[in-house]
Amino acid sequence: MKKGKKIYEGKAKIIYATSDKNLVIQYFKDDATAFNNQKKSTIEGKGVLNNRISEHILSNLSEVGIKNHLVKRINMREQLVKLVDIIPIEFVIRNIATGSLTKRLGIEDGTVLERPLIEYCLKDDKLGDPLISRDHILNFNWLNIAQLDLINENLTRLNDFLLGMFRAVGIKLVDFKVEFGFTHESGKNEIVLADEISPDTCRLWDTITDKKLDKDRFRKDLGDLIPAYTEVAKRLGILHEQSNVSAVNVTKLSSVKKKTK
Ligand code: UDP
């Protein structure tokens, strides 16, 4: 598949065209941002780990019938994915209260929610991704009722699947954010899960110690982000137990792969 020109660059990923008009290449950068772009850094090796972790999760989701944009991973930093029109809504699912929920509503950090809580945010950096309601989505025709219901059903299944997957490896899935888009293939306009699912987009706490294994290590200046993401990858069986992935190793792996292309 020939890589074409850059068609979009986001905070953590770049999208390139390919020779197939329905497929694009998603490149995972090492850039980290938080607090609506106010905090920025580059963390060597993060993109490589997120590429592997997201590939693992999305291919498992395909196996249980949760449709998503992933076609295949191409190399250490790139995936071939279906071109989609991203729905401008961030879908957040929470199992334990933390982050913006605790600040907004004064709920105590760490409160286990009685049932999963779905929140919607408008994907608009200039407005600071404001929280919106189901009625906003329907009123402004961002989605119709059938589409929103389909997504909500998918979110519940997705949360159940991810909760189980992480619980099996000693990790609590605290909350996560996902995005959906419309595919272009032969006028089908199907809604599929897109973007990524990784420690950048999920909050993951060790079941026993509550150690944070996600992007909060960057947001809260806790350090050791690469070892935490590596730990997630190892527990999911993506990296071998004995492999000691430092940022330097990950970068080396990445460049070796590129040279052999
Ligand atoms: N999240 C994300 N991208 C965003 C905002 C949130 O991936 O632009 C994820 C975040 O990693 C967490 C969940 O969504 O797993 C809920 O985030 P929250 O609303 O608490 O955001 P905060 O402002 O605390 O990052």
Side-chain angles (χ1 to χ4, degrees):
M1 185 66 57
K2 243 183 114 200
K3 188 164 159 185
K5 62 173 196 284
K6 189 198 282 191
I7 49 179
Y8 172 80
E9 178 156 5
K11 285 175 275 188
K13 292 183 294 292
I14 304 172
I15 302 293
Y16 294 94
T18 71
S19 40
D20 183 328
K21 67 177 181 4
N22 293 322
L23 300 176
V24 291
I25 289 171
Q26 176 168 256
Y27 175 96
F28 286 76
K29 301 196 282 185
D30 282 340
D31 296 351
T33 61
F35 311 121
N36 200 20
N37 240 347
Q38 287 171 42
K39 181 171 176 168
K40 287 184 199 174
S41 187
T42 302
I43 304 169
E44 249 179 61
K46 180 175 79 73
V48 174
L49 286 161
N50 282 346
N51 183 19
R52 294 291 299 270
I53 295 170
S54 194
E55 174 210 12
H56 176 84
I57 296 176
L58 266 55
S59 48
N60 274 282
L61 289 176
S62 295
E63 281 172 26
V64 296
I66 299 179
K67 290 181 183 165
N68 61 72
H69 71 160
L70 180 71
V71 177
K72 63 171 184 179
R73 184 169 64 83
I74 303 171
N75 57 41
M76 296 298 279
R77 285 191 183 269
E78 293 176 324
Q79 300 177 346
L80 187 64
V81 299
K82 291 180 185 170
L83 175 67
V84 297
D85 282 332
I86 287 283
I87 296 163
I89 296 167
E90 298 194 336
F91 298 86
V92 173
I93 299 91
R94 303 178 182 273
N95 298 302
I96 298 175
T98 193
S100 67
L101 176 67
T102 57
K103 290 184 204 119
R104 215 184 315 123
L105 301 179
I107 312 286
E108 195 183 336
D109 197 274
T111 306
V112 177
L113 303 175
E114 269 184 36
R115 64 193 79 87
L117 176 67
I118 298 180
E119 290 181 338
Y120 313 105
C121 297
L122 185 65
K123 212 170 126 66
D124 188 326
D125 284 343
K126 276 189 245 121
L127 299 175
D129 296 342
L131 186 72
I132 51 172
S133 70
R134 178 181 168 89
D135 258 11
H136 286 114
I137 297 175
L138 300 176
N139 208 309
F140 297 116
N141 292 314
W142 289 321
L143 291 169
N144 64 34
I145 291 181
Q147 291 164 338
L148 185 52
D149 287 349
L150 178 91
I151 289 180
N152 283 343
E153 215 175 278
N154 261 283
L155 290 173
T156 306
R157 283 191 64 208
L158 179 59
N159 187 47
D160 286 346
F161 179 85
L162 294 179
L163 271 173
M165 187 188 78
F166 282 117
R167 192 185 296 127
V169 297
I171 292 173
K172 287 189 225 175
L173 176 64
V174 174
D175 58 27
F176 63 99
K177 181 267 306 182
V178 282
E179 296 180 20
F180 291 85
F182 290 98
T183 59
H184 290 240
E185 279 169 321
S186 55
K188 266 206 301 192
N189 258 358
E190 198 177 30
I191 293 180
V192 299
L193 183 75
D195 193 47
E196 68 175 295
I197 300 182
S198 73
D200 264 12
T201 60
C202 301
R203 284 201 175 91
L204 304 169
W205 295 353
D206 179 86
T207 308
I208 296 167
T209 64
D210 275 350
K211 181 179 172 188
K212 296 180 199 310
L213 301 170
D214 56 65
K215 202 168 116 181
D216 271 354
R217 303 209 71 83
F218 169 70
R219 293 189 190 97
K220 295 173 179 278
D221 291 322
L222 300 173
D224 285 343
L225 180 137
I226 293 295
Y229 283 33
T230 303
E231 177 69 27
V232 173
K234 281 185 180 171
R235 291 200 199 177
L236 291 174
I238 301 165
L239 296 173
H240 297 304
E241 263 320 304
Q242 64 274 25
S243 58
N244 179 21
V245 181
S246 66
V248 176
N249 281 341
V250 169
T251 314
K252 271 190 198 151
L253 275 171
S254 169
S255 51
V256 167
K257 185 76 188 184
K258 267 186 207 139
K259 275 180 206 143
T260 56
K261 262 201 299 176

Coordinates of all heavy atoms in Angstrom, one line a residue, residues 11 90 92 94 98-101 103-104 119 129 175-177 200-203 219, ligand 1:
K11 N -3.0 16.0 17.6 CA -2.0 16.1 18.7 C -1.1 14.9 18.8 O 0.0 15.1 19.1 CB -2.8 16.4 20.0 CG -3.4 17.8 20.0 CD -4.2 18.1 21.2 CE -5.6 17.7 21.0 NZ -6.6 18.0 22.0
E90 N -16.7 13.4 21.6 CA -15.9 12.5 22.4 C -16.8 11.7 23.3 O -17.6 12.4 24.1 CB -14.8 13.2 23.2 CG -13.8 14.0 22.2 CD -12.6 14.5 22.9 OE1 -12.6 14.7 24.1 OE2 -11.6 14.7 22.2
V92 N -17.2 9.5 26.5 CA -16.4 9.1 27.7 C -17.2 8.1 28.5 O -18.4 8.4 28.7 CB -16.0 10.3 28.5 CG1 -15.4 10.0 29.8 CG2 -15.1 11.3 27.7
R94 N -17.2 6.1 32.2 CA -16.6 6.1 33.5 C -17.1 4.9 34.3 O -18.3 4.7 34.4 CB -16.8 7.4 34.2 CG -16.4 8.6 33.4 CD -16.7 9.9 34.2 NE -16.4 11.0 33.5 CZ -15.2 11.6 33.5 NH1 -14.2 11.1 34.2 NH2 -14.9 12.7 32.8
T98 N -13.1 10.1 38.7 CA -11.8 10.8 38.8 C -11.7 11.9 37.8 O -12.7 12.1 37.0 CB -10.6 9.8 38.7 OG1 -9.4 10.4 39.1 CG2 -10.4 9.3 37.2
G99 N -10.7 12.6 37.7 CA -10.5 13.6 36.6 C -11.6 14.7 36.7 O -12.0 15.1 37.7
S100 N -12.0 15.0 35.4 CA -12.9 16.2 35.3 C -14.3 15.9 36.1 O -14.9 16.9 36.5 CB -13.2 16.5 33.9 OG -13.9 15.5 33.2
L101 N -14.7 14.7 36.2 CA -16.0 14.4 36.8 C -15.9 14.8 38.3 O -16.9 15.5 38.8 CB -16.3 12.9 36.8 CG -17.5 12.5 37.5 CD1 -18.8 13.0 36.8 CD2 -17.6 10.9 37.5
K103 N -14.0 17.1 39.6 CA -13.9 18.6 39.7 C -15.2 19.2 39.4 O -15.6 20.2 40.1 CB -12.8 19.1 38.7 CG -11.4 18.7 39.1 CD -10.4 19.3 38.2 CE -9.1 18.5 38.2 NZ -8.8 17.9 36.9
R104 N -15.9 18.7 38.4 CA -17.1 19.3 38.0 C -18.3 19.1 39.0 O -19.0 20.1 39.3 CB -17.5 18.6 36.7 CG -18.2 19.5 35.7 CD -18.7 18.8 34.4 NE -17.7 17.8 33.9 CZ -18.0 16.5 33.7 NH1 -19.2 16.0 34.1 NH2 -17.1 15.7 33.2
E119 N -20.6 10.0 29.1 CA -20.7 11.4 29.0 C -20.3 11.8 27.5 O -19.5 11.0 26.9 CB -19.7 12.1 29.9 CG -20.1 12.0 31.4 CD -19.0 12.7 32.3 OE1 -17.9 12.9 31.9 OE2 -19.4 13.1 33.4
D129 N -13.5 21.5 24.4 CA -14.3 20.2 24.5 C -15.4 20.2 25.5 O -15.4 19.4 26.4 CB -13.4 19.0 24.7 CG -12.3 18.8 23.6 OD1 -12.5 19.3 22.5 OD2 -11.3 18.1 23.9
D175 N -11.8 4.8 33.4 CA -12.6 5.5 32.4 C -11.8 5.5 31.1 O -10.7 5.1 31.1 CB -12.9 7.0 32.9 CG -11.7 7.8 33.1 OD1 -10.7 7.6 32.6 OD2 -11.8 8.8 34.0
F176 N -12.5 5.9 30.1 CA -11.9 6.0 28.8 C -12.7 6.9 27.8 O -13.8 7.1 28.1 CB -11.6 4.6 28.1 CG -12.8 3.8 27.8 CD1 -13.3 3.7 26.5 CD2 -13.4 3.1 28.8 CE1 -14.4 3.0 26.2 CE2 -14.5 2.3 28.5 CZ -15.0 2.3 27.2
K177 N -12.0 7.3 26.7 CA -12.7 8.1 25.7 C -12.5 7.4 24.4 O -11.5 6.9 24.1 CB -11.9 9.5 25.7 CG -12.5 10.5 24.7 CD -11.9 10.5 23.3 CE -10.4 10.7 23.2 NZ -9.9 10.8 21.8
D200 N -3.2 6.4 26.5 CA -3.4 7.8 26.3 C -4.9 8.2 26.4 O -5.2 9.4 26.7 CB -3.0 8.2 24.9 CG -1.5 8.8 24.8 OD1 -0.8 8.7 25.8 OD2 -1.2 9.4 23.7
T201 N -5.7 7.2 26.2 CA -7.2 7.5 26.1 C -8.0 6.8 27.2 O -9.2 6.9 27.3 CB -7.7 7.2 24.7 OG1 -7.5 5.8 24.5 CG2 -7.1 8.0 23.6
C202 N -7.3 6.0 28.0 CA -7.9 5.3 29.1 C -7.3 5.7 30.4 O -6.1 6.0 30.4 CB -7.7 3.8 29.0 SG -8.3 3.0 27.5
R203 N -8.0 5.6 31.5 CA -7.3 5.6 32.8 C -7.2 4.2 33.3 O -8.3 3.5 33.4 CB -8.0 6.5 33.8 CG -7.8 8.0 33.6 CD -8.1 8.8 34.8 NE -7.7 10.2 34.6 CZ -8.6 11.1 34.2 NH1 -9.9 10.8 33.9 NH2 -8.2 12.4 34.0
R219 N 0.1 14.0 32.8 CA -0.7 15.1 33.3 C -0.3 15.5 34.7 O -0.3 16.7 35.0 CB -2.2 14.7 33.4 CG -2.9 14.4 32.0 CD -4.4 14.3 32.2 NE -5.1 13.8 31.0 CZ -5.4 12.5 30.8 NH1 -5.1 11.6 31.7 NH2 -6.0 12.1 29.7
Ligands
UDP1 N1 -9.8 11.7 27.5 C1 -9.1 11.6 26.3 N2 -9.0 12.8 25.5 C2 -9.5 14.0 25.9 C3 -10.2 14.0 27.1 C4 -10.3 12.9 27.9 O1 -8.6 10.6 25.9 O2 -9.4 14.9 25.1 C5 -9.9 10.5 28.3 C6 -9.0 10.6 29.5 O3 -7.8 9.9 29.3 C7 -9.8 9.8 30.5 C8 -11.3 10.0 30.1 O4 -11.2 10.4 28.8 O5 -9.5 8.4 30.4 C9 -12.0 11.0 31.0 O6 -11.3 12.2 31.0 P1 -11.7 13.5 31.9 O7 -13.0 14.0 31.4 O8 -11.7 13.1 33.3 O9 -10.6 14.5 31.5 P2 -9.4 15.2 32.2 O10 -9.8 16.6 32.0 O11 -9.4 14.8 33.7 O12 -8.2 14.7 31.4

